[in-house]
């Protein structure tokens, strides 16, 4: 839950940056802030959605009548693409988004950016970093590195040699974590990834899917 709080604070901080810019805009125009997050499919995303809704209510109280907010929760990348399109039709000036998946959401976020929407991407990242959006993320490579060191040393100490590696979802940060994980695991030649080399499948943060893999 601590990471949920950190991400929520980042979202509020991002909104604060928006407010700093907004004061110079025409006072007759109320800036519209669209927030797109995944629907709860496990505890972490449940926390993300809860904190997003809570942050909006707090900001409404802090800045009564000065900003309009709309929070949309999506149960998949197709719904989230549609949500961003709906927010553009709504006329949002700013977008805060935690992408359901990186690659499918990149084009529509870029479309929003190209139309003049200021975009803040939280946590999962986009596959295209060439256009001007704010990216708020943790040190995911370090997370993968620390995990790899722990698993590698534990397996060696206990005489274990075979393992199955699983990713979370096809998002940018997952690749960063897994690459750093394999960098550490491959330093011990006795360890064998049953999927071969640096290969792995996605468990989609599902216990059942993980058991099947």
């Amino acid at each position: 839950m601590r990471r949920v709080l950190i991400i929520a604070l980042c979202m509020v901080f991002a909104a604060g940056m928006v407010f700093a810019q907004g004061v110079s805009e025409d006072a007759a125009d109320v800036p519209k802030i669209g927030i797109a997050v995944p629907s709860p499919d496990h505890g972490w995303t449940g926390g993300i959605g809860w904190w997003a809704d809570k942050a909006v209510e707090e900001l409404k109280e802090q800045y009564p009548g000065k900003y309009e907010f709309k929070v949309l929760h999506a149960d998949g990348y197709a719904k989230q693409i549609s949500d961003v399109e709906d927010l553009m039709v709504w006329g949002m000036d700013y977008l805060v988004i935690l992408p359901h998946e990186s690659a499918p959401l990149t084009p529509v976020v870029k479309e929003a950016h190209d139309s003049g929407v200021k975009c803040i991407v939280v946590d999962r990242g986009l596959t295209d970093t060439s256009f001007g959006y704010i990216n708020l993320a943790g040190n995911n490579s370090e997370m993968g590195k620390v995990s790899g060191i722990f698993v590698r040393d534990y397996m060696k100490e206990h005489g274990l040699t075979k393992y199955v590696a699983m990713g979370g979802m096809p998002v940018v940060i997952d690749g960063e974590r897994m690459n750093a994980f394999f960098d550490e695991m491959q330093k011990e030649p006795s360890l064998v990834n049953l999927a071969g080399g640096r290969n792995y499948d996605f468990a989609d943060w599902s216990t059942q899917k993980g058991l099947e893999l």
Side-chain angles (χ1 to χ4, degrees), residues 2-201:
R2 181 183 178 187
R3 191 168 183 221
V4 172
L5 176 59
I6 290 171
I7 296 297
L9 291 174
C10 285
M11 295 173 73
V12 174
F13 173 73
M17 295 172 64
V18 168
F19 299 148
Q21 289 181 298
V23 295
S24 64
E25 296 177 355
D26 187 345
D29 295 328
V30 177
K32 295 182 175 181
I33 301 171
I35 300 172
V37 295
S39 299
D41 53 9
H42 62 291
W44 188 83
T45 48
I48 286 294
W50 188 88
W51 279 106
D53 291 330
K54 178 177 173 59
V56 163
E57 292 307 311
E58 291 176 348
L59 290 167
K60 284 181 179 178
E61 292 182 8
Q62 187 176 357
Y63 302 96
K66 292 186 177 181
Y67 305 93
E68 290 187 43
F69 298 89
K70 185 172 286 190
V71 183
L72 299 180
H73 303 255
D75 59 4
Y77 69 82
K79 173 64 165 57
Q80 195 171 42
I81 291 171
S82 177
D83 285 348
V84 175
E85 292 172 341
D86 289 345
L87 289 170
M88 284 192 282
V89 173
W90 175 60
M92 67 175 168
D93 300 292
Y94 305 94
L95 170 66
V96 178
I97 182 169
L98 197 161
H100 202 284
E101 295 184 24
S102 297
L105 268 299
T106 297
V108 74
V109 175
K110 189 174 189 304
E111 180 183 349
H113 171 269
D114 291 345
S115 71
V117 176
K118 296 177 178 62
C119 300
I120 301 160
V121 180
V122 181
D123 187 65
R124 291 180 177 174
L126 301 176
T127 54
D128 182 356
T129 60
S130 66
F131 62 101
Y133 61 89
I134 296 172
N135 186 51
L136 297 172
N139 190 344
N140 290 284
S141 294
E142 186 68 15
M143 292 174 64
K145 177 180 179 179
V146 171
S147 300
I149 291 172
F150 172 81
V151 174
R152 180 195 68 206
D153 292 350
Y154 180 92
M155 291 184 68
K156 185 176 180 180
E157 179 183 351
H158 291 81
L160 304 172
T161 59
K162 298 176 181 179
Y163 68 95
V164 176
M166 303 179 198
M169 293 182 69
V171 292
V172 170
I173 62 170
D174 195 274
E176 294 173 354
R177 295 173 185 173
M178 296 303 292
N179 285 334
F181 173 81
F182 283 123
D183 286 345
E184 296 303 322
M185 294 295 285
Q186 291 185 331
K187 291 179 181 179
E188 175 50 55
S190 67
L191 302 183
V192 178
N193 175 12
L194 293 179
R198 301 168 74 96
N199 298 320
Y200 63 96
D201 289 314

